[in-house]
Amino acid sequence: MKQYGLIGFPLSHSFSKKYFTEKFKNEHITDAVYDNYPLEHIKDLQDLLDVHPGLCGLNVTVPHKINVLRYLDWIENDARSAGAVNCIRISKESPVLAAFSGEVGVEGHDFRLEGFNTDIYGFEMSLRPLLHDHHAEALILGDGGAARAVKCVLDILEIPFKIVTRKPQPGHILFKDLKPHDITKHKLIINTTPLGTSPDIDKCPPIPYEAITNEHLLFDLVYNPEETLFLKKGKAQGAATKNGYEMLLLQAEKSWEIWNSKEKHP
């Protein structure tokens, strides 16, 4: 039986477990199972792999997307650029090549851990069809782990962006300093904060919504509820809106593709 799963902490609500369990059932995949593995400290990854030697792939969620990098034998370029990994392929071979490439990995293990960021693929494929020429500049709301894939994709698409945060950081705009002209200038606005996630559905990022027009595109990485207050306020101003559900589906399928790929990486 091939084992797959999700690591993070806490794992109270898991899209991934539900998605893959249903996928395996609907596609009559009988030799695979997907489970949640609550992992409070990423240093315990070695123990998890020892206890579950049948693991072939893992998804990674908060708070480990960044700290997991130091435990991997190989990291693909986009994930390295983003500085975050949300998908690990586990192959049952000694990572001898890692010694030559300068990667550290988990010492003393007889498997190879390869890191990917399927959030990048999911976000890009979900965003691309919605873009028009006037979406020439973007605002990213928040600068946590979720924003890393977004920044990577905007760089790929050559869309310049500004980051909006609560706390002062070099080059960022503070939410409290955001003015209507900032909204007018940036026709693409992406929420990477958890604001508005169920059950706190009455919350939203504090931006000047009155400046939003029908040329704006608001993308919310939150998918529960289906329409957040952020998206509702944007839609009321005539903006196009998109939630993060399709992105989740796309990144999950990309993970499955990676886990089943026979491609060898240096």
Side-chain angles (χ1 to χ4, degrees), residues 51-93:
V51 173
H52 301 281
L55 277 168
C56 301
L58 288 169
N59 287 125
V60 184
T61 189
V62 291
H64 301 320
K65 289 186 179 185
I66 299 167
N67 290 335
V68 74
L69 270 71
R70 73 185 74 165
Y71 296 95
L72 304 177
D73 300 304
W74 178 88
I75 303 167
E76 59 95 29
N77 287 335
D78 282 349
R80 191 178 292 279
S81 296
V85 158
N86 75 319
C87 174
I88 299 173
R89 185 170 75 168
I90 306 166
S91 57
K92 303 298 186 290
E93 59 184 47

Side-chain angles (χ1 to χ4, degrees), residues 15 40 60 67 105 111 130 149 215:
F15 163 86
E40 187 170 1
V60 184
N67 290 335
F111 41 77
L130 307 175
E215 288 194 338

Side-chain angles (χ1 to χ4, degrees), residues 38-176:
L39 202 66
E40 187 170 1
H41 303 291
I42 193 61
K43 64 179 176 60
D44 295 329
L45 178 61
Q46 169 76 72
D47 292 339
L48 176 72
L49 296 170
D50 288 341
V51 173
H52 301 281
L55 277 168
C56 301
L58 288 169
N59 287 125
V60 184
T61 189
V62 291
H64 301 320
K65 289 186 179 185
I66 299 167
N67 290 335
V68 74
L69 270 71
R70 73 185 74 165
Y71 296 95
L72 304 177
D73 300 304
W74 178 88
I75 303 167
E76 59 95 29
N77 287 335
D78 282 349
R80 191 178 292 279
S81 296
V85 158
N86 75 319
C87 174
I88 299 173
R89 185 170 75 168
I90 306 166
S91 57
K92 303 298 186 290
E93 59 184 47
S94 181
V96 176
L97 288 175
F100 295 98
S101 64
E103 305 292 351
V104 178
V106 183
E107 293 183 8
H109 63 268
D110 57 354
F111 41 77
R112 176 175 161 88
L113 303 180
E114 299 175 344
F116 302 82
N117 190 312
T118 62
D119 284 336
I120 295 171
Y121 172 82
F123 179 64
E124 182 180 357
M125 293 302 105
S126 190
L127 177 67
R128 267 188 185 273
L130 307 175
L131 293 175
H132 297 285
D133 289 344
H134 56 264
H135 297 132
E137 296 185 61
L139 286 178
I140 302 176
L141 309 182
D143 194 28
R148 294 191 172 217
V150 171
K151 288 187 280 188
C152 192
V153 169
L154 294 182
D155 283 339
I156 291 169
L157 298 174
E158 298 183 340
I159 298 175
F161 57 84
K162 288 285 188 181
I163 299 169
V164 188
T165 51
R166 288 186 300 109
K167 297 178 181 178
Q169 295 186 52
H172 292 191
I173 304 173
L174 292 176
F175 275 108
K176 69 181 183 65

Side-chain angles (χ1 to χ4, degrees), residues 14-30 32-35 245 249 252-253 256:
S14 168
F15 163 86
S16 298
K17 179 173 171 60
K18 182 175 184 291
Y19 178 81
F20 281 107
T21 299
E22 291 179 355
K23 174 182 175 68
F24 296 159
K25 180 180 178 182
N26 295 336
E27 297 181 17
H28 307 291
I29 299 170
T30 57
V33 63
Y34 192 103
D35 289 305
Y245 188 68
L249 296 179
E253 280 302 315
W256 182 245

Side-chain angles (χ1 to χ4, degrees), residues 1-4 24 31-34 54-56 256 260 262:
M1 183 68 71
K2 295 177 181 177
Q3 292 179 300
Y4 303 91
F24 296 159
D31 63 343
V33 63
Y34 192 103
L55 277 168
C56 301
W256 182 245
N260 289 279
K262 303 299 183 186

